[in-house]
Amino acid sequence: MNKHTIAPIQSKDREVFMDVLRGFAIFGILIANLTIGGLGWGTNRVESSPFLLPELDKQLNFLYAMFIEGKFYSIFSLLFGWGIALQIQRGLDKGSDALPTIRRRLLFMLLLGFGHILIWPGDIVLFYAMLGFLLLPLRRFSDRALLITGAVLICSPIALYAAKMQWAMVNAPANFLHLIGENVFKQLSGVQSEGDYEAWFKQANWWGILQLNIAGIFHRFGYLFLVSRTPKVLGMFLIGFVLGRSNFYKNIAQHKKTVYWIIGLGLLIGLPANYVLAYYVHNFDGDYYQLKTNGLYQTMAYAFGVAPLALVYVGTFMLGFQTGFGKKIMLVIAPVGKMAFSNYVSHSLVCQFVFLSQGLNYGGKLGTFYLTVFAIALFTLQILISTVWLRYFNYGPLEWVWRSLTYGKAQSFTKAQTILA
């Protein structure tokens, strides 16, 4: 092996790869949110529509539960921890403490996430910012300790679910938050019964949707508690943090064998576990929310399937990006990843307009297949817009706001401003 082959990857290439992976994650999250997460607003599901294909939609739902459910937010979580590690390292390289800047960054991320959750309650930005503050104290752990802790956290929902089955008080916070959400909605909207909700929803204006979303904040965090999302995300944060701090990707040539092992073991463990996950989601999903035994089996399959398969995707992209052809193809989605925050929020804005009755009213009329077609079309449009945008601007619009708030002054927005500076 010659010296050129084992040379460390330059920081710029590493960051571009992270943009690629972030763009890939954004696409997967879009499909998951549309088909599983409620962004398609299927609350007013119609009995028949030319955009409903029952058999195909059913098959796709199974495949998405197997290959998409949970995997892409896991990749995003990994990238979040990786990014924090790089920010700390850059500070050390410059002889400065990056933590004050990172805390400001997290604070404004939290505020921007709060703004987004008022648009769509399925937001993850607010939640990630909150957990980011938990990540910072753990940075002092060794890489080995962080990896072990991360693995334990990812598997801990099994024990937590079993505890919720045994003792109702363990799930009391979720029930309490849902109750608050119901009461807040009743107070804001005046709707007092489920029977009145459908009629209210169909005629509600945008102010009514905001009322629904305000109440949805409590339902969202109740859901996150029920599904034990905190340890799942924090565990991936820690693995990503080790990935960034250890310069694993920067020295990918020396770690190729490890990547192959990750992919191999991930497939060996992840594929059968995700098949089981899809089986239980497909056939017994209601049992999960009622804390029944089938829900425990689903939780076990999730714990052993989602993270390993997410790591398979990451490892495959790492290897693919080292080839000329693979890099050329993957670079197409890098602009979407560089503007990930703006593109993520735009999903909510576009889907509000397309699916709600206040807009085009396609909610509930598109099955999984056509929602996927819509997702591909929207993502393709985002590739084009992001590519053109970044020819003239340094950041996406929300990224610029976030960065300017973090540093307390307006950043150079256009390429022309940067050249003049």
Side-chain angles (χ1 to χ4, degrees):
M1 186 177 291
N2 59 44
K3 291 183 179 180
H4 177 72
T5 303
I6 63 172
I9 290 170
Q10 299 300 309
S11 295
K12 183 179 179 181
D13 288 337
R14 176 178 57 191
E15 291 168 5
V16 170
F17 172 73
M18 292 178 71
D19 286 336
V20 167
L21 202 54
R22 202 173 283 115
F24 176 61
I26 282 290
F27 179 51
I29 288 172
L30 173 60
I31 292 180
N33 284 343
L34 278 170
T35 60
I36 302 168
L39 191 58
W41 290 92
T43 54
N44 57 334
R45 171 71 69 183
V46 297
E47 293 295 327
S48 62
S49 165
F51 304 111
L52 296 175
L53 305 172
E55 286 303 315
L56 179 58
D57 291 342
K58 186 177 180 181
Q59 294 170 6
L60 286 175
N61 286 336
F62 187 93
L63 291 174
Y64 288 179
M66 185 171 177
F67 293 105
I68 293 179
E69 168 68 6
K71 288 73 175 177
F72 289 90
Y73 88 73
S74 296
I75 295 174
F76 218 75
S77 303
L78 187 90
L79 286 165
F80 186 90
W82 187 349
I84 293 288
L86 293 186
Q87 291 168 48
I88 292 174
Q89 187 59 52
R90 288 192 195 104
L92 292 174
D93 292 343
K94 294 177 181 178
S96 61
D97 183 6
L99 289 181
T101 301
I102 293 173
R103 291 191 181 100
R104 287 197 304 274
R105 183 177 174 84
L106 289 174
L107 174 62
F108 288 114
M109 179 182 177
L110 188 149
L111 294 175
L112 291 169
F114 183 77
H116 180 234
I117 206 170
L118 294 175
I119 300 172
W120 184 56
D123 166 78
I124 60 171
V125 176
L126 174 62
F127 183 58
Y128 274 39
M130 295 168 65
L131 293 187
F133 285 106
L134 292 180
L135 170 63
L136 294 181
L138 300 176
R139 73 188 187 282
R140 300 183 185 279
F141 286 21
S142 68
D143 288 351
R144 179 182 175 84
L146 287 176
L147 290 175
I148 293 173
T149 303
V152 170
L153 285 170
I154 289 167
C155 293
S156 67
I158 299 172
L160 291 171
Y161 192 92
K164 291 168 187 173
M165 291 174 62
Q166 187 68 29
W167 301 290
M169 63 176 294
V170 179
N171 199 46
N175 296 328
F176 180 64
L177 287 167
H178 284 304
L179 182 61
I180 293 176
E182 291 175 7
N183 289 330
V184 167
F185 179 65
K186 288 178 181 179
Q187 291 297 319
L188 291 174
S189 68
V191 176
Q192 298 300 314
S193 67
E194 289 187 16
D196 297 331
Y197 173 74
E198 284 294 333
W200 174 90
F201 184 79
K202 289 179 181 179
Q203 58 81 42
N205 55 23
W206 290 110
W207 167 240
I209 296 301
L210 178 60
Q211 294 173 341
L212 182 62
N213 291 344
I214 291 171
I217 296 172
F218 298 97
H219 289 296
R220 173 62 171 169
F221 280 90
Y223 168 79
L224 293 175
F225 187 90
L226 171 63
V227 301
S228 301
R229 185 65 62 84
T230 296
K232 295 173 185 176
V233 170
L234 189 57
M236 292 303 292
F237 277 8
L238 297 181
I239 294 173
F241 189 87
V242 172
L243 193 64
R245 186 170 68 180
S246 66
N247 282 321
F248 182 90
Y249 181 72
K250 187 177 180 181
N251 299 299
I252 189 67
Q254 290 93 332
H255 296 301
K256 273 192 176 181
K257 185 176 180 180
T258 301
V259 175
Y260 282 122
W261 270 102
I262 290 171
I263 293 173
L265 289 175
L267 290 173
L268 184 64
I269 299 170
L271 285 180
N274 278 290
Y275 180 85
V276 173
L277 172 64
Y279 172 80
Y280 279 100
V281 168
H282 204 61
N283 296 289
F284 305 104
D285 199 38
D287 288 0
Y288 178 87
Y289 298 100
Q290 296 175 29
L291 299 176
K292 294 183 178 180
T293 302
N294 285 327
L296 179 61
Y297 297 151
Q298 183 176 323
T299 302
M300 294 170 67
Y302 193 107
F304 290 111
V306 169
L309 197 56
L311 291 174
V312 168
Y313 295 164
V314 173
T316 302
F317 263 63
M318 282 184 174
L319 296 178
F321 199 70
Q322 304 310 305
T323 67
F325 177 75
K327 184 174 183 178
K328 185 177 181 180
I329 296 298
M330 292 181 191
L331 283 175
V332 172
I333 62 175
V336 178
K338 189 170 183 179
M339 294 173 52
F341 195 2
S342 297
N343 284 315
Y344 174 67
V345 172
S346 74
H347 293 171
S348 302
L349 295 171
V350 171
C351 291
Q352 289 270 27
F353 175 72
V354 171
F355 295 109
L356 289 179
S357 58
Q358 296 74 16
L360 299 180
N361 195 28
Y362 276 93
K365 298 176 183 177
L366 275 66
T368 302
F369 174 77
Y370 281 103
L371 285 171
T372 304
V373 172
F374 175 78
I376 293 171
L378 178 55
F379 187 72
T380 301
L381 183 62
Q382 288 187 319
I383 292 174
L384 295 173
I385 292 174
S386 299
T387 301
V388 173
W389 180 278
L390 291 172
R391 288 178 183 171
Y392 302 98
F393 301 96
N394 293 312
Y395 314 101
L398 284 180
E399 285 77 10
W400 177 79
V401 171
W402 186 14
R403 190 177 181 89
S404 296
L405 289 171
T406 298
Y407 291 99
K409 64 178 182 179
Q411 302 294 293
S412 297
F413 192 30
T414 67
K415 299 287 187 182
Q417 284 178 318
T418 303
I419 293 172
L420 291 174

